[in-house]
Amino acid sequence: MNEAVRLSFEPFLGWPLFWAIAGLTALAWLAYLILRGRAWLSRALGLVLLSAALLNPSLVHEEREPLPSVAAVILDRSESMQFGDRTKAAEAAYAALTARLAEDKTLEVRTLETSPGDDGTYLHGALEGLMSDVPRDRIAGAIFITDGQIHDLPDPELIENLIGPLHGLIAGDEDRGDRSVRIVNAPNFGIVGESANLIVRVEDPRGGEVELQVSLNGGAPERIRVKAGEDTPLPVEIERRGENMVVIEAAPGPEELTLANNRTAMTIAGVRDRLRVLLVTGKPNQAGRVWRDLLKSDPSVDLVHFTILRPPFKTDYARPEELALIAFPTEELFEEKLTEFDLIIFDQYERQGVITQAYLANMSRYVADGGALLIVAGEQFAGPASLARSPLASVLPATPTGVIRTGSFKPQLTGPGKRHSVTAPLDDTQWGEWMRYIEADAVAGDVLIAGPEGRPLLIVDRVEKGRVGMLMSDQIWLWASGHDGGGPFAELIRRMVHWMMKEPELEERRLSIQAEGGKATVELRTLLDSAPPLEIETPEGGTLRPNWVNRGPGTFAAETPIDELGIYRARSGGLEAIALNGPANPREYADLTSTADILEPVSRATGGGVLRLNAAGTNLPEIRRIGNQRTAAGNDWIGLRERDAYAVRSSTSQPLLPGILAAAALILMLLLAWRREGR
């Protein structure tokens, strides 16, 4: 304990009223002086004596317990500290510094290590939390041990909000550079089939041009060259509805701290403007209205439907205006605007001279270039005018045998059909009977539904960039009418159409990965009985090999813990999927340069200093205890303030101007003033 004496003032009337009375009194005395009052000195002494009495001065004797000043030492554990010798140097400096400060018994040292899993380095927020219960008059200062990449420093001009003096010990080699790529700006969504414009930027310590690889949804990468240090526009065509993952990679540079920031990615939501469907019905039939009504009921479908009522070779004696027919716009549909359609459906169509062989050849190229074709076979498909005997045969997955079977049969899912995304959800449902089947042999693709004797009824296939489906019966309308209990005609057609439109959730061979919550979850959909081995590439280039778990027919899943921010790439059986753990452009990887430039303005505003550690972290500066001088750092030293804080354990007070003494002195001063004025 220490004893101390101090002078205390506790006005009887409170400070606001005291200052008001003192001000009025001073004005009255000033007026008296201006009017040449003769006792101005006596009255001044009386007023001063009155003010002193109102202040109630007293001598306070206190027993004080000294309190230690409080200093903070915070070690940066963010991901950017993992590169080079930064962690080694920082840990060595941290251990030596805390040990040295612990020797000072007048100093309380608070330490903290930041979380390595945060997206960014938030040392100032950690400092405020660590010192939140410490009065400002006890704070001796703070020391950051970091690489200088700090993302939450306040404005140095707001010095009243800063804890200081704030010092920095910088780990890492300031001369080591790093190449990085990031997405500066990108839209959240885009129209399928149209381009979305991204803005990318490559940082490279040596500048120049850098080659980038841009891939969409795991496809073949496109190579472009950009200039380092400049924002570059990058158009990307949205190829499907739903999530479209864009991955941008830069080749390793001559200077690299890590390759994790040479790759960035983002997701753009693809939306369809309208789904344009061309339905060509070869002749009026019971299924024609089913197809039309089902497609028209979908508001996202823009349907163009033609039914051929009168083939060109038919002879009749009525005038065309009496028949109320229009000429079939073959040239417009199959030459000029063919590529504008997303899906073409032939319902029981036979070659009648309406659509020429040249137009059918155009349609084969349309499918190969990414179009979709659905054939609903009728009796005509087994005859000589079949589409299978046209240039369209090159893209069809089945050929007719020429046999038409009649009689009841129930469609059945095949083995692949129980695994395929189009038909797997329809398993375990009761299906009604059909009455006619166009016999065919499958030559390509996957048979999802079988007819009589297990022969192919519904076949789907991929043809280069496009997709083809064939239904070898014209009896689906029986399901729509509820015959023999009906069947899932609407769901089957909807899923078929969306599969042909390449909807990602209906891909029959699909690998997907999600990275969140400290783990990566991978799902595989396949037509095989077993899953190929799985490999997951981490952002730093490592490889994880978790085991598959069978979750159902053709469905497998795997999980593995992860702890790195960035892009994870999964591969299995020729399929590839990517996922982003954390934000698209992690702040930790945006700039990995060891620098003092970020911390220095804030440190200087508090009187602190920023010094650099060597590779071993052994060149600690001298620690000095200082007073309240402005500068708290030098070339080889940093200072922590000695606050001389204390807690009062007991106190006594003795009035210096008792009331009787003050009144007597005041009366004496007044008498002297009257006597002076009476002369």
Side-chain angles (χ1 to χ4, degrees), residues 254-269:
E255 296 183 46
E256 289 288 5
L257 289 168
T258 178
L259 296 179
N261 58 359
N262 286 40
R263 179 189 302 162
T264 186
M266 74 160 301
T267 299
I268 303 177

Side-chain angles (χ1 to χ4, degrees), residues 662-673:
L666 180 61
I667 292 172
L668 178 61
M669 290 297 104
L670 292 176
L671 290 175
L672 290 175

